[in-house]
């Protein structure tokens, strides 16, 4: 309400007001545009400094100084206001309270600010400082830096007086007028939360879809959700409360079409009044309310049924209904802003905003401007492009079944049309439905959706991954992805990778242990143990390193499990570190997955983890199964060349020595080279053997990554290995698989027994502060490597692990694992005669590799966290894609 702008107090009255003015609290919405209005010298800047933060105030004088180095240079005003408007737009876009400190006495100046407020869907609020012109002139005379011409202040005051009556018509939602110095000095600011800001309410909530007068189905649904109904003397439900304190939230369209609109209103209004529920309006409430207020509306789409039913109620009840509908807020922000409830859906830019445009979108949604074959508007599929962090729950457009689309879910499942009434339990993200008792109202269009019908709609977009990206991780902060690396990953992901709906994880790279100074060794367990001990990590697990290829497996319990969770049919998938299908043979892929599924079923893992799918990290062997071309082109070629050339060289040297030439040193050198070449060939041949179907294939899982609703990768490694042991033991129907590896031929483990596919990962636990423990682990590693094994991976037993600072405070992440490879295996990596160049190889730099391993590890766990939380595909895919992008960073591939 504006004050009466007439009768400016005289000087004597002004003095009296200064002594007797009562304090006034001016309500200001916490996210709004506050426009200070007053003549030069009215005290606007002083008022702004007293009541608002310096960062909240945008001053025209300050902006004039920015562009002209002189706050009083009026010739720079146009440029200054361009800067001011730019800053205001940026602050409002970020949802910040913004105060404009300028005279703003001219309508055009205010019109631009009101337009900017509308552009960003915030309330424009005017605070007028109506100070007598004589006071303003006196103040200006006391400022040597500002001497205005005598006519300026009277002119500004006249413009101000002409403006007072019309500020609300200009679009200001609140107008506060302070007259005289006394009121200005006594005034205070009272920040008000927006009506839609209920972020302090954290739930849990039960969000109910469109009811449309189906009172009986609503009673059934509330009862199924655990609510206890309260009835009046006539047996009508008038309230419902949950014993655990849950709050119901209704998405609107309580009325029209159904058999008992008054009954639904009576129950919902009672729950809201008792504090047991919240409600937002639907377009049908909006229309019914206008009709009940006597406004002209078209009586259609079930409105007649509601009006007829309400005609049989008392005038008191109808008055309560009108008041209830007038008090409904377009949408609510709940749970710290993580949840938004509205009727027709709401893009992120409208969350928490206040404007007619926001209310219209919340009530009616947006349309493409087209109509379908039934003459109904085609809804714009905003949910397909939604990328907000808040879960948006809405109704309005009937769908056969509720499903999540990019962190949104439509709960209108057409109860009044014979479908069902659906609720979402939040934060559980559990959908609960009851079937309609009958078709209460024949739909104009069959109960199908013109909103996205797939689980994710349009799940991914180029904008999600293109260019330089910053990915927020819970473990390692912000991880940057360079534009050129993103481009490389996009090439791989778009051309070669699996369906991104299945690609929920990519494993990180792994750094080697610190370089050893022991004679003849490049890597040794001692450095791994000392490194972790220095980081404050005491308990480790050393796992046998299988020489195969890294494989991630998504295993479904049944044919429909992946469809239910990932929106893609099939038994599962097996992929490489770059997201490609591991095996080209789909039948063989299915056979491997079936063996894992059967073993998990017999081991009871699906029941124990309450899931119908599992995500596993593993090594798939033999190495030749995946790397056969690499073997032919690189390793076999080296061995063949050495085998062909070196015997001839030695023969020539021996013949020359027979003629009396002193070639002993050269001959010894060539014999050593021949021995190194034989050792090189033997090293890689250990990891190659023929396979036929499942015969010869070995899968060595070492970690369960995820199950429904759970990121298992953060469990201690001994838990994972215990799960894996059960899985391996259950691989064959008539007994556990053998502990040790079979021969290179991959032959069956005995007559009458199915050849095992799953194999154990042997391990030993280490206490870094116990010399006997580290010595035993070192001896175990020597035994593994001397028998032809690749080596071992050393990991902190806890996952994830952090360094320990002073007083036991946790620090940064430590390496999730380091590999310690055997001397003979390293011939494959560094060449047959690498032991002759150890001094040079010890200069290898590990810093970049270790940084890469930490970043990829954090991204992988972030993807699993998002998967477990049920976040939309684009959010899960973001860190997965980043892992692949980081893989294109230049780093020594031998590390």
């Amino acid at each position: 309400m504006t004050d009466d702008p007439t009768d400016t107090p005289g000087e004597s009255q002004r003095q009296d007001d200064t002594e007797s003015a009562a304090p006034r609290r001016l309500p200001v919405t916490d996210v709004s545009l506050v426009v200070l209005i007053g003549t030069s010298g009215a005290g606007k800047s002083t008022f702004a400094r007293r009541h608002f933060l310096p960062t909240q105030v945008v001053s025209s004088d300050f902006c004039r100084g920015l562009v002209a180095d002189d706050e009083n240079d009026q010739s720079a005003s146009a440029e200054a206001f361009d800067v001011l408007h730019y800053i205001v737009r940026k602050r409002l876009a970020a949802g910040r309270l913004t105060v404009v400190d300028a005279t703003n006495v001219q309508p055009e100046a205010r019109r631009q600010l009101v337009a900017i407020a509308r552009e960003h869907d915030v309330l424009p609020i005017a605070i007028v400082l109506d100070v007598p012109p004589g006071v303003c002139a006196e103040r200006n005379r006391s400022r040597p830096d500002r001497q205005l011409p005598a006519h300026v202040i009277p002119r500004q005051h006249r413009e101000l007086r002409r403006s007072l009556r019309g500020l609300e018509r200009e679009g200001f939602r609140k107008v506060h007028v302070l007259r005289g110095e006394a009121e200005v000095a006594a005034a205070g600011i009272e920040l008000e939360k927006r009506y839609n800001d209920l972020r302090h309410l954290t739930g849990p909530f039960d969000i109910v879809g469109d009811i449309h007068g189906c009172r009986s189905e609503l009673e059934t649904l509330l009862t199924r959700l655990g609510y206890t109904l309260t009835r009046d003397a006539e047996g009508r439900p008038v309230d419902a409360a949950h014993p655990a304190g849950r709050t119901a939230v209704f998405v609107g369209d309580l009325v029209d079409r159904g058999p008992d609109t008054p009954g639904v209103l009576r129950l919902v209004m009672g729950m809201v009044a008792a504090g047991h529920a919240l409600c937002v309006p639907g377009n049908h409430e909006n229309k019914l309310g206008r009709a009940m207020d006597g406004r002209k509306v078209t009586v259609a789409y079930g409105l007649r049924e509601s009006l007829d039913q309400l005609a049989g109620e008392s005038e008191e009840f109808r008055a309560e209904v009108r008041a209830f509908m007038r008090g409904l807020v377009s949408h609510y922000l709940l749970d710290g802003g993580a949840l938004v409830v509205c009727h027709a859906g709401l893009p992120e830019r409208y969350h928490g905003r206040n404007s007619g445009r926001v209310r219209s979108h919340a009530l009616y949604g947006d349309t493409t401007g087209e109509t379908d074959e039934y003459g109904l508007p085609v809804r714009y599929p905003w949910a397909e492009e939604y990328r907000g962090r808040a879960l948006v729950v809405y109704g309005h457009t009937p769908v056969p079944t509720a499903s999540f689309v990019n962190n949104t879910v439509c709960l209108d499942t057409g109860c009044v049309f014979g479908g069902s009434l659906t609720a979402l339990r939040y934060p559980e993200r559990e959908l609960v439905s009851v079937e309609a008792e009958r078709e209460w109202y024949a739909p104009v269009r069959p109960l199908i959706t013109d909103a996205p019908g797939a689980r994710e709609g349009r799940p991914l977009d180029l904008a999600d991954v293109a260019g330089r990206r910053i990915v927020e991780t819970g473990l390692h902060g912000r991880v940057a992805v360079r534009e050129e690396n993103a481009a490389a990953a996009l090439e791989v992901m778009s051309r070669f990778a699996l369906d991104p709906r299945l690609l929920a994880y990519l494993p990180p790279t792994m750094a080697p242990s610190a370089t050893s100074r022991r004679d003849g060794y490049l890597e040794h367990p001692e450095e791994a143990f000392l490194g972790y001990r220095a980081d404050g990590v005491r308990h480790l697990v050393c796992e046998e390193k299988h020489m195969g290829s890294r494989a991630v497996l998504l295993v479904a319990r049944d044919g429909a499990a992946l469809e239910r969770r990932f929106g893609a049919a099939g038994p599962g998938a097996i992929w490489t570190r770059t997201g490609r299908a591991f095996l080209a043979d789909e039948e063989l892929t299915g056979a491997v997955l079936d063996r894992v599924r059967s073993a998990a079923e017999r081991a009871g893992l699906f029941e124990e983890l309450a899931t119908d799918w599992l995500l596993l990290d593993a090594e798939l062997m033999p190495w030749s199964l995946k790397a056969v071309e690499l073997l032919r082109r690189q390793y076999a070629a080296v061995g063949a060349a050495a085998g062909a050339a070196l015997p001839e060289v030695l023969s020539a040297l021996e013949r020359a020595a027979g003629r009396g030439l002193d070639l002993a040193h050269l001959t010894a050198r060539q014999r050593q080279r021949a021995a190194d070449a034989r050792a090189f060939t033997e090293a890689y041949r250990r990891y190659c053997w023929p396979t036929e179907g499942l015969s010869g294939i070995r899968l060595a899982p070492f970690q369960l990554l995820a199950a429904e609703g759970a990121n298992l990768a953060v469990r201690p490694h001994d838990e994972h290995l215990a799960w894996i042991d059960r899985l391996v033991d259950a691989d064959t129907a008539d007994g556990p698989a053998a502990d040790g590896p079979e021969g290179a031929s991959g032959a069956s483990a005995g007559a009458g027994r199915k050849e095992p596919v799953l194999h154990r990962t042997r391990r030993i636990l280490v206490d870094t502060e116990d010399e006997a423990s580290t010595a035993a682990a070192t001896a175990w590693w020597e035994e593994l490597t001397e028998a032809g094994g690749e080596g071992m991976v050393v990991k902190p037993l806890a996952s994830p692990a952090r360094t320990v600072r002073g007083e036991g405070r946790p620090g940064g992440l430590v390496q999730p694992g380091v590999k310690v490879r055997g001397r003979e295996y390293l011939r494959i990596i560094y060449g047959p005669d690498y032991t002759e160049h150890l001094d040079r190889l010890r200069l290898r730099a590990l810093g970049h590799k270790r940084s890469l391993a930490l970043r990829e590890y954090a991204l992988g766990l972030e993807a699993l966290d998002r998967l477990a939380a049920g976040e939309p595909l684009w959010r899960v895919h973001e860190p997965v894609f980043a892992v692949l992008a980081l893989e294109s960073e230049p780093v020594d591939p031998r590390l």
Side-chain angles (χ1 to χ4, degrees):
M1 174 79 72
T2 58
D3 296 329
D4 183 1
T6 60
D7 294 336
T8 302
E11 199 68 28
S12 60
Q13 185 179 348
R14 178 177 57 79
Q15 182 62 37
D16 292 340
D17 289 346
T18 303
E19 296 173 357
S20 61
R24 284 183 58 190
R25 306 297 295 176
L26 309 182
V28 169
T29 307
D30 57 356
V31 178
S32 59
L33 177 62
V34 178
V35 179
L36 300 182
I37 304 172
T39 59
S40 297
K44 298 181 299 300
S45 297
T46 302
F47 184 89
R49 284 194 299 270
R50 182 185 304 151
H51 299 294
F52 300 99
L53 297 175
T55 52
Q56 294 173 331
V57 180
V58 186
S59 164
S60 60
D61 288 345
F62 176 75
C63 293
R64 197 177 287 111
L66 285 178
V67 299
D69 292 329
D70 182 358
E71 293 187 354
N72 297 311
D73 185 353
Q74 298 300 314
S75 66
S77 291
E79 291 81 2
F81 276 95
D82 284 344
V83 173
L84 183 145
H85 293 159
Y86 180 83
I87 297 172
V88 168
R89 283 188 170 95
K90 289 298 183 182
R91 287 188 57 82
L92 295 183
R96 306 291 183 188
L97 174 64
T98 304
V99 180
V100 176
D101 176 14
T103 58
N104 295 315
V105 295
Q106 296 176 332
E108 178 56 33
R110 298 190 298 269
R111 191 176 300 116
Q112 293 182 66
L113 294 173
V114 170
I116 292 173
R118 288 174 173 166
E119 177 185 330
H120 293 88
D121 301 291
V122 301
L123 300 181
I125 299 174
I127 298 180
V128 181
L129 278 62
D130 186 4
V131 177
V135 174
C136 298
E138 182 180 338
R139 290 173 177 174
N140 276 285
R141 282 194 296 271
S142 67
R143 292 182 56 179
D145 61 328
R146 176 175 296 178
Q147 295 298 316
L148 299 176
H151 69 276
V152 171
I153 291 177
R155 186 197 68 208
Q156 291 180 348
H157 193 259
R158 289 193 300 271
E159 292 174 330
L160 171 66
R161 303 295 292 168
R162 285 195 295 267
S163 300
L164 287 179
R165 290 187 182 275
L167 291 176
E168 289 183 338
R169 289 195 300 272
E170 291 179 9
F172 287 100
R173 296 293 294 274
K174 296 179 182 178
V175 177
H176 305 299
V177 179
L178 301 174
R179 289 195 176 83
E181 295 174 89
E183 284 196 10
V184 172
I189 298 297
E190 183 174 336
L191 285 182
E192 294 181 333
K193 291 178 64 176
R194 290 152 287 163
Y195 292 130
N196 54 38
D197 185 0
L198 299 183
R199 288 175 293 177
H200 61 285
L201 300 181
T202 58
F205 301 108
D206 298 305
I207 309 166
V208 181
D210 299 37
I211 303 167
H212 281 299
C214 298
R215 190 238 340 129
S216 179
E217 287 88 343
L218 175 59
E219 289 187 42
T220 303
L221 178 61
L222 290 173
T223 302
R224 183 169 297 181
L225 291 169
Y227 287 77
T228 301
L229 295 171
T230 300
R231 300 182 184 274
D232 63 11
E234 299 178 37
R236 300 174 301 187
V238 293
D239 191 12
H242 198 284
R246 299 178 71 93
T247 300
V249 187
F250 297 95
V251 303
D253 276 7
L254 312 174
V255 304
D256 293 353
R257 295 175 174 155
D260 193 1
T261 284
V264 172
L265 287 170
R266 185 175 289 107
L267 175 54
V268 173
M269 288 163 55
M271 293 177 69
V272 172
H276 299 146
L278 301 168
C279 184
V280 297
N283 58 301
H284 284 263
E285 279 80 43
N286 184 53
K287 194 171 184 180
L288 175 60
R290 288 187 290 128
M292 294 181 71
D293 286 338
R295 299 169 66 181
K296 185 177 181 180
V297 298
T298 301
V299 179
Y301 303 114
L303 178 58
R304 171 53 58 196
E305 286 80 354
S306 291
L307 292 173
D308 290 344
Q309 292 166 17
L310 287 166
E313 300 291 330
S314 68
E315 178 56 38
E316 180 184 4
F317 180 76
R318 291 197 296 271
E320 291 174 358
V321 169
R322 289 196 297 272
F324 173 73
M325 291 181 180
R326 282 195 294 267
L328 295 177
V329 178
S330 66
H331 70 286
Y332 283 124
L333 274 71
L334 300 161
D335 193 18
L339 174 65
V340 171
V341 178
C342 56
H343 178 62
L346 208 61
E348 187 176 32
R349 66 183 182 274
Y350 292 156
H351 295 179
R353 302 304 174 108
N354 293 293
S355 71
R357 175 169 57 180
V358 172
R359 183 174 179 83
S360 177
H361 199 294
L363 287 173
Y364 300 99
D366 198 4
T367 62
T368 65
E370 304 167 296
T371 56
D372 62 16
E373 65 269 32
Y374 303 99
L376 297 176
V378 176
R379 304 291 175 191
Y380 183 78
W382 67 275
E384 294 185 4
E385 300 173 357
Y386 181 71
R387 292 296 183 266
R389 297 294 296 272
L391 171 64
V392 179
V393 185
Y394 66 106
H396 187 54
T397 304
V399 294
T401 57
S403 62
F404 288 88
V405 178
N406 288 335
N407 214 22
T408 75
V409 59
C410 176
L411 297 183
D412 183 0
T413 47
C415 181
V416 76
F417 301 130
S420 60
L421 184 61
T422 300
L424 172 71
R425 304 183 78 238
Y426 177 93
E428 300 88 344
R429 297 173 75 100
E430 176 188 347
L431 294 165
V432 179
S433 296
V434 296
E435 295 299 314
E437 295 179 359
R438 50 166 285 191
E439 183 187 274
W440 299 102
Y441 192 91
V444 175
R445 167 176 56 204
L447 187 55
I448 58 174
T449 178
D450 58 358
R455 177 183 177 83
E456 294 289 351
R458 186 186 307 141
L460 298 174
D461 191 272
L462 181 62
D464 295 331
V465 294
R468 185 176 186 273
R469 309 290 298 177
I470 298 291
V471 182
E472 293 282 352
T473 68
L475 285 177
H476 202 55
R478 294 156 62 92
V479 177
V481 177
R482 296 189 182 98
E483 182 176 2
E484 59 270 25
N485 295 341
L490 184 62
E491 174 77 6
V492 173
M493 193 70 76
S494 59
R495 294 184 61 190
F496 307 113
L498 289 176
D499 186 332
R501 292 176 295 177
L502 301 176
L503 203 61
Y505 176 82
L506 286 180
T509 189
M510 182 179 295
S513 63
T515 302
S516 176
R517 292 292 172 182
R518 285 177 174 251
D519 186 35
Y521 288 89
L522 187 61
E523 296 176 9
H524 191 273
E526 181 180 28
E527 280 69 32
F529 301 150
L530 289 175
Y532 278 120
R533 183 175 179 178
D535 286 333
V537 180
R538 179 171 180 176
H539 298 289
L540 305 173
V541 59
C542 301
E543 299 178 6
E544 171 189 11
K545 194 171 191 310
H546 304 279
M547 181 50 188
S549 300
R550 192 76 168 265
V552 179
L553 291 85
L554 179 60
V555 182
R557 188 174 191 177
D558 57 56
L562 293 193
E563 178 65 37
R564 288 192 298 268
R565 177 58 182 84
F566 297 93
I574 308 174
W575 62 86
T576 68
R577 288 195 64 241
T578 57
R580 309 176 193 221
F582 195 102
L583 300 168
D585 187 338
E586 292 186 8
E587 184 176 346
L588 181 57
T589 299
V592 174
L593 291 171
D594 186 61
R595 287 293 289 269
V596 179
R597 180 200 58 76
S598 298
E601 195 75 73
R602 286 194 292 270
L605 293 181
F606 290 119
E607 288 83 1
E608 179 179 330
L609 298 172
T611 185
D612 55 9
W613 59 270
L614 292 169
L615 191 66
L616 300 93
D617 207 351
E619 286 280 325
L620 193 53
M621 299 166 280
W623 188 31
S624 53
L625 188 66
K626 188 64 181 173
V628 62
E629 287 303 314
L630 179 67
L631 284 166
R632 286 180 182 145
R633 292 195 311 269
Q634 184 169 324
Y635 297 101
V638 171
L646 289 175
E648 292 295 327
V649 170
L650 286 172
S651 177
L653 289 173
E654 289 170 357
R655 289 196 299 272
R659 295 197 300 272
L661 296 176
D662 183 12
L663 299 174
H665 177 73
L666 182 57
T667 301
R669 170 78 180 91
Q670 297 306 312
R671 284 183 178 144
Q672 181 61 49
R673 290 185 68 196
D676 289 342
R678 287 193 298 274
F680 171 80
T681 303
E682 291 170 3
Y684 76 74
R685 280 181 175 171
R686 292 189 184 101
Y687 312 115
C688 308
W689 59 83
T691 64
E692 183 176 351
L694 279 180
S695 179
I697 289 181
R698 305 176 190 171
L699 180 72
F702 53 83
Q703 191 171 24
L704 286 183
L705 295 168
E708 184 62 49
N711 176 1
L712 303 177
V714 296
R715 303 280 189 92
H717 283 288
D718 54 351
E719 284 190 35
H720 288 277
L721 293 170
W723 282 327
I724 298 303
D725 286 348
R726 287 165 52 191
L727 197 65
V728 172
D729 288 343
D731 180 36
T732 54
D734 55 351
D739 280 351
E742 303 169 41
S745 66
S748 174
R753 178 180 176 182
K754 187 188 299 182
E755 178 183 345
V757 171
L758 302 184
H759 286 259
R760 273 188 175 81
T761 295
R762 292 178 285 179
R763 82 297 305 243
I764 187 170
L765 299 180
V766 175
D767 183 342
T768 59
E769 297 183 7
D770 183 346
E771 290 187 9
S773 176
T774 57
T778 301
W780 184 72
W781 175 80
E782 290 171 344
E783 180 184 344
L784 281 177
T785 55
E786 288 172 4
E790 178 182 346
M792 68 183 182
V793 176
V794 184
K795 303 175 180 177
L797 191 61
S799 176
R802 295 186 176 274
T803 59
V804 178
R805 298 174 176 171
E807 302 178 355
R809 292 181 295 114
L813 281 177
V814 301
Q815 290 294 318
V818 295
K819 51 191 176 186
V820 186
R821 296 166 289 187
R823 287 190 296 178
E824 291 307 309
Y825 172 80
L826 286 173
R827 293 188 192 279
I828 304 174
I829 305 301
Y830 287 101
D833 55 353
Y834 86 101
T835 53
E836 299 181 21
H837 310 288
L838 284 179
D839 289 341
R840 178 166 54 83
L841 291 176
R842 286 187 175 116
L843 299 177
R844 62 184 185 168
L846 300 179
H848 190 184
K849 181 75 168 183
R850 290 187 165 190
S851 167
L852 194 62
L854 281 179
R855 285 178 284 153
E856 291 185 2
Y857 172 66
L859 288 166
L861 289 188
E862 181 66 23
L864 296 178
D865 279 340
R866 296 180 184 186
L867 179 70
E871 295 199 32
L873 174 60
W874 74 270
R875 286 273 298 160
V876 177
H877 188 70
E878 181 185 39
V880 173
F881 184 90
V883 172
L884 185 58
L886 293 185
E887 278 296 297
S888 61
E889 287 191 5
V891 67
D892 187 347
R894 300 172 298 178
L895 296 179

